[in-house]
Amino acid sequence: MTLRSTPDRPGPTLHRVWRLPAADAVRGRRALWWTVGPAGELAVLLVSLKHLSRGRYPRGWPGWRPDTPFTGELVTITDHEERRTRVTDIRISPSYLALLPDSRFLLVSGRTSRGENGGSWRANTVVYSASGSPEAEFCLGDDIAALVTDADGSIWTAYGDEGIYGSHPESGAGLAGWNARGEAIWSPGGRLPDHPLQGCTAATEDHRAWLVWYPGSSRGGTFLTRITPATGAVTSYRSPVQRPDGFAVRGNRAVFTRRDHNKRFTELLRAELDGDTWSVTDRARIRTPGRVVMHCGQGRDGFLWIRAGDTWVRVEA
């Protein structure tokens, strides 16, 4: 099924991928954290209302808060099947879900703190087996603003201002790379055009990771940083779109989204790379099948996935 832009402005087509089944909604299940894996599989964690409480902010699904410990059900959707895995005794309040090789996955809380008397940083990440059993836990830094995993199982993070100006060393650098054991394997090391203040979103392209962020300096702007893990190379471009909440890239083409918060619209912009400069080539205001709120976009190998309410759509770069 396809969804098109508003009648007054023909534009790109959004391809509907999955919607929370009515049977789950009737049973009181809410679709909360979600991600897309390197093979293009959509994963969504469902949680029963009996484990949840509702905050006034933020609006939409991120406003639900789990009462720990709680039980969830991980739904993994591919072109051929829908697989469900029961996950019990979840003891963190997640901000992110991410997939690892061999059907393993992560649940990650965006915040952490130090132990008593300035001790070690508390774990905010749990690694689960394919069957939903916890295997390991570790810390991925504080105030995580964007997170994505790549096909090799590395984890890429961008941080918010409270983490960057806090005392965690990897958070302080603004961007970081980790292996699936929670060991830091990459840092920008002075190779960024400015010092980050806030991460926006993240994407993968083949074996490269992209982190989107903006600085706190008076020079302003937003940057797209491409990391090639095999060589450690880092390349940053000035983004043609300020503070996007979704980004996907394939070669010299990219697609961005900027949401109308808690509305059934998003602005979709296409861009092309000419030399070292990205330029917007097209833009349209797109009607979505549900309300678009924070954590609404993730880019995978040239496809931008967008969550709109309890429906997931995607568009190609």
Side-chain angles (χ1 to χ4, degrees):
M1 183 175 182
T2 59
L3 303 163
R4 297 189 181 277
S5 54
T6 54
D8 58 328
R9 174 68 188 272
T13 299
L14 302 181
H15 297 273
R16 191 190 298 259
V17 179
W18 190 75
R19 178 178 175 81
L20 178 70
D24 286 308
V26 168
R27 293 171 64 187
R29 294 181 171 182
R30 294 293 180 266
L32 299 185
W33 311 281
W34 70 281
T35 190
V36 179
E41 66 274 43
L42 173 67
V44 184
L45 189 66
L46 308 185
V47 180
S48 173
L49 278 171
K50 67 182 180 181
H51 297 301
L52 300 173
S53 57
R54 180 72 186 172
R56 295 183 63 184
Y57 182 84
R59 305 289 291 272
W61 66 269
W64 291 105
R65 296 287 183 267
D67 301 319
T68 57
F70 65 98
T71 295
E73 186 173 59
L74 181 68
V75 185
T76 306
I77 303 101
T78 67
D79 291 337
H80 307 292
E81 64 176 354
E82 180 180 302
R83 184 175 70 252
R84 298 196 172 216
T85 304
R86 182 177 169 84
V87 188
T88 62
D89 199 32
I90 301 173
R91 295 185 172 271
I92 65 170
S93 182
S95 305
Y96 302 96
L97 164 69
L99 300 185
L100 294 172
D102 302 319
S103 300
R104 297 156 65 232
F105 60 96
L106 305 171
L107 288 176
V108 183
S109 174
R111 301 306 306 263
T112 186
S113 61
R114 302 196 79 162
E116 295 182 1
N117 301 317
S120 60
W121 291 89
R122 292 184 173 91
N124 62 351
T125 302
V126 181
V127 180
Y128 291 87
S129 69
S131 64
S133 299
E135 292 184 336
E137 60 179 39
F138 44 77
C139 179
L140 288 179
D142 185 37
D143 196 15
I144 301 170
L147 181 149
V148 69
T149 53
D150 64 24
D152 298 317
S154 297
I155 307 160
W156 303 94
T157 47
Y159 298 92
D161 59 345
E162 293 186 28
I164 290 169
Y165 290 100
S167 56
H168 192 283
E170 279 74 32
S171 300
L175 311 177
W178 310 80
N179 63 24
R181 297 184 298 276
E183 299 165 338
I185 58 172
W186 178 87
S187 66
R191 293 172 290 176
L192 300 178
D194 207 335
H195 193 72
L197 175 68
Q198 181 73 36
C200 298
T201 188
T204 59
E205 181 197 17
D206 297 325
H207 291 278
R208 293 180 290 270
W210 292 75
L211 297 172
V212 183
W213 54 277
Y214 61 87
S217 72
S218 59
R219 285 178 286 179
T222 298
F223 293 92
L224 315 172
T225 293
R226 183 184 68 200
I227 304 132
T228 306
T231 64
V234 181
T235 305
S236 294
Y237 303 91
R238 187 170 286 274
S239 173
V241 178
Q242 298 299 306
R243 305 185 184 186
D245 46 42
F247 164 73
V249 59
R250 176 176 289 152
N252 67 342
R253 302 192 313 276
V255 60
F256 301 81
T257 53
R258 288 193 306 192
R259 70 184 184 274
D260 287 347
H261 185 67
N262 204 40
K263 305 292 185 182
R264 295 175 180 266
F265 291 94
T266 189
E267 185 181 22
L268 191 145
L269 305 97
R270 295 189 180 277
E272 291 187 0
L273 179 64
D274 183 5
D276 294 327
T277 303
W278 285 96
S279 300
V280 171
T281 58
D282 186 59
R283 65 179 68 212
R285 189 166 182 253
I286 303 298
R287 182 180 293 276
T288 56
R291 296 184 184 274
V292 184
V293 296
M294 59 192 299
H295 300 309
C296 62
Q298 187 173 123
R300 283 291 190 185
D301 298 326
F303 288 93
L304 176 56
W305 295 67
I306 304 166
R307 176 175 184 168
D310 285 333
T311 301
W312 281 260
V313 298
R314 70 183 182 194
V315 61
E316 191 170 3

